[in-house]
Amino acid sequence: MEDKGIEVVVKTVTSTNDMQQVMTSLANQVDALYFPTDNTVASTATTIGEILMEAKVPAMGSDEAVIDGVLFTYGVDYHAIGVQAGKLAVEILKGANPADLAVATPEKAAIAVNGEMAKAVGIDTATIKNLNK
Protein backbone atom coordinates (compact mmCIF):
# COMPACT_ATOMS: atom_id res chain seq x y z
CA MET A 1 0.00 0.00 0.00
CA GLU A 2 3.00 2.29 0.38
CA ASP A 3 3.11 2.66 -3.43
CA LYS A 4 -0.27 4.45 -3.07
CA GLY A 5 1.01 6.71 -0.30
CA ILE A 6 -0.76 4.76 2.44
CA GLU A 7 1.07 3.63 5.53
CA VAL A 8 -0.65 0.75 7.29
CA VAL A 9 -0.56 0.64 11.08
CA VAL A 10 -1.58 -2.69 12.59
CA LYS A 11 -2.60 -3.01 16.22
CA THR A 12 -4.02 -6.02 17.99
CA VAL A 13 -5.92 -6.49 21.21
CA THR A 14 -6.12 -9.68 23.20
CA SER A 15 -9.22 -8.81 25.19
CA THR A 16 -11.86 -6.14 25.62
CA ASN A 17 -9.76 -4.76 28.49
CA ASP A 18 -7.10 -3.64 25.99
CA MET A 19 -9.46 -1.88 23.61
CA GLN A 20 -9.69 1.59 25.13
CA GLN A 21 -5.94 2.04 25.49
CA VAL A 22 -5.14 0.64 22.04
CA MET A 23 -7.88 2.67 20.32
CA THR A 24 -6.86 5.91 22.03
CA SER A 25 -3.28 5.36 20.90
CA LEU A 26 -4.29 4.37 17.39
CA ALA A 27 -6.70 7.30 16.95
CA ASN A 28 -3.74 9.64 17.46
CA GLN A 29 -1.63 7.86 14.82
CA VAL A 30 -3.94 7.41 11.82
CA ASP A 31 -6.28 9.28 9.48
CA ALA A 32 -8.79 6.41 9.20
CA LEU A 33 -9.39 2.87 10.44
CA TYR A 34 -10.73 -0.41 9.07
CA PHE A 35 -12.24 -3.13 11.27
CA PRO A 36 -12.68 -6.66 9.93
CA THR A 37 -15.38 -8.85 11.43
CA ASP A 38 -14.25 -9.50 14.99
CA ASN A 39 -16.13 -10.33 18.20
CA THR A 40 -13.87 -8.22 20.43
CA VAL A 41 -14.39 -5.18 18.21
CA ALA A 42 -18.15 -5.80 18.04
CA SER A 43 -18.46 -6.09 21.82
CA THR A 44 -16.62 -2.78 22.35
CA ALA A 45 -18.05 -0.85 19.39
CA THR A 46 -19.65 1.82 21.57
CA THR A 47 -16.33 2.55 23.31
CA ILE A 48 -14.54 2.60 19.96
CA GLY A 49 -17.13 5.01 18.58
CA GLU A 50 -16.74 7.41 21.50
CA ILE A 51 -12.96 7.50 21.09
CA LEU A 52 -13.11 7.96 17.31
CA MET A 53 -15.79 10.68 17.47
CA GLU A 54 -13.72 12.65 19.94
CA ALA A 55 -10.60 12.23 17.77
CA LYS A 56 -12.64 12.88 14.57
CA VAL A 57 -11.21 9.75 12.93
CA PRO A 58 -13.51 7.90 10.51
CA ALA A 59 -13.58 4.11 10.44
CA MET A 60 -15.03 1.46 8.16
CA GLY A 61 -16.29 -1.90 9.36
CA SER A 62 -17.02 -5.05 7.43
CA ASP A 63 -20.06 -6.04 9.48
CA GLU A 64 -23.05 -4.13 10.82
CA ALA A 65 -22.29 -5.48 14.30
CA VAL A 66 -19.71 -2.68 14.67
CA ILE A 67 -21.89 0.20 13.37
CA ASP A 68 -21.77 1.99 16.75
CA GLY A 69 -18.01 2.36 16.39
CA VAL A 70 -17.59 3.25 12.74
CA LEU A 71 -18.68 5.75 10.10
CA PHE A 72 -20.07 3.00 7.88
CA THR A 73 -20.01 -0.71 7.23
CA TYR A 74 -19.64 -2.30 3.82
CA GLY A 75 -19.86 -6.06 3.76
CA VAL A 76 -21.93 -9.18 3.56
CA ASP A 77 -25.69 -8.77 3.25
CA TYR A 78 -26.83 -11.69 5.39
CA HIS A 79 -30.47 -11.23 4.36
CA ALA A 80 -29.56 -11.51 0.66
CA ILE A 81 -27.51 -14.64 1.36
CA GLY A 82 -30.49 -16.13 3.20
CA VAL A 83 -32.78 -15.40 0.25
CA GLN A 84 -30.30 -17.03 -2.12
CA ALA A 85 -29.96 -20.06 0.14
CA GLY A 86 -33.75 -20.34 0.31
CA LYS A 87 -34.00 -20.36 -3.48
CA LEU A 88 -31.39 -23.09 -3.69
CA ALA A 89 -33.21 -25.08 -1.01
CA VAL A 90 -36.44 -24.86 -3.04
CA GLU A 91 -34.62 -26.22 -6.10
CA ILE A 92 -33.26 -29.13 -4.07
CA LEU A 93 -36.69 -29.84 -2.59
CA LYS A 94 -38.07 -29.93 -6.14
CA GLY A 95 -35.55 -32.66 -6.97
CA ALA A 96 -32.49 -30.79 -8.25
CA ASN A 97 -29.16 -32.44 -7.56
CA PRO A 98 -27.15 -30.07 -5.28
CA ALA A 99 -23.99 -30.92 -7.22
CA ASP A 100 -25.61 -29.49 -10.36
CA LEU A 101 -26.49 -26.13 -8.79
CA ALA A 102 -24.19 -23.19 -9.42
CA VAL A 103 -22.38 -21.54 -6.55
CA ALA A 104 -24.03 -18.20 -5.84
CA THR A 105 -22.42 -15.07 -4.46
CA PRO A 106 -24.15 -11.88 -3.28
CA GLU A 107 -24.69 -9.31 -6.02
CA LYS A 108 -24.35 -6.30 -3.74
CA ALA A 109 -22.78 -5.60 -0.40
CA ALA A 110 -24.76 -4.30 2.55
CA ILE A 111 -24.07 -0.72 3.56
CA ALA A 112 -24.99 0.79 6.92
CA VAL A 113 -24.18 4.39 7.85
CA ASN A 114 -23.73 5.81 11.34
CA GLY A 115 -25.18 9.31 10.99
CA GLU A 116 -23.89 10.43 14.39
CA MET A 117 -20.33 9.46 13.44
CA ALA A 118 -20.69 11.13 10.03
CA LYS A 119 -21.68 14.38 11.70
CA ALA A 120 -18.78 14.11 14.17
CA VAL A 121 -16.17 13.66 11.43
CA GLY A 122 -17.83 16.10 8.98
CA ILE A 123 -18.77 13.68 6.20
CA ASP A 124 -21.95 13.81 4.10
CA THR A 125 -23.78 10.48 4.42
CA ALA A 126 -25.03 10.69 0.80
CA THR A 127 -21.45 10.13 -0.36
CA ILE A 128 -21.28 6.84 1.52
CA LYS A 129 -24.69 5.62 0.43
CA ASN A 130 -23.63 5.94 -3.23
CA LEU A 131 -20.90 3.31 -2.79
CA ASN A 132 -23.18 0.45 -3.78
CA LYS A 133 -24.34 1.93 -7.09
Side-chain angles (χ1 to χ4, degrees), residues 89-114:
V90 167
E91 293 301 314
I92 293 167
L93 291 170
K94 288 182 176 179
N97 181 348
D100 295 334
L101 298 175
V103 174
T105 58
E107 294 177 12
K108 286 188 175 184
I111 298 175
V113 178
N114 180 334

Side-chain angles (χ1 to χ4, degrees), residues 10-97:
V10 177
K11 297 279 185 180
T12 58
V13 294
T14 56
S15 73
T16 57
N17 298 330
D18 300 339
M19 189 60 77
Q20 186 165 6
Q21 180 180 2
V22 170
M23 286 308 306
T24 301
S25 170
L26 195 56
N28 291 315
Q29 296 177 19
V30 300
D31 297 320
L33 289 148
Y34 169 75
F35 294 107
T37 302
D38 179 88
N39 289 334
T40 304
V41 171
S43 67
T44 57
T46 301
T47 300
I48 291 169
E50 291 169 358
I51 293 166
L52 297 181
M53 275 191 238
E54 184 176 321
K56 298 194 182 320
V57 174
M60 173 189 167
S62 60
D63 189 283
E64 201 168 332
V66 299
I67 193 64
D68 290 338
V70 299
L71 171 60
F72 71 100
T73 60
Y74 185 85
V76 175
D77 184 334
Y78 294 106
H79 179 265
I81 289 175
V83 170
Q84 286 177 286
K87 289 177 181 177
L88 290 172
V90 167
E91 293 301 314
I92 293 167
L93 291 170
K94 288 182 176 179
N97 181 348

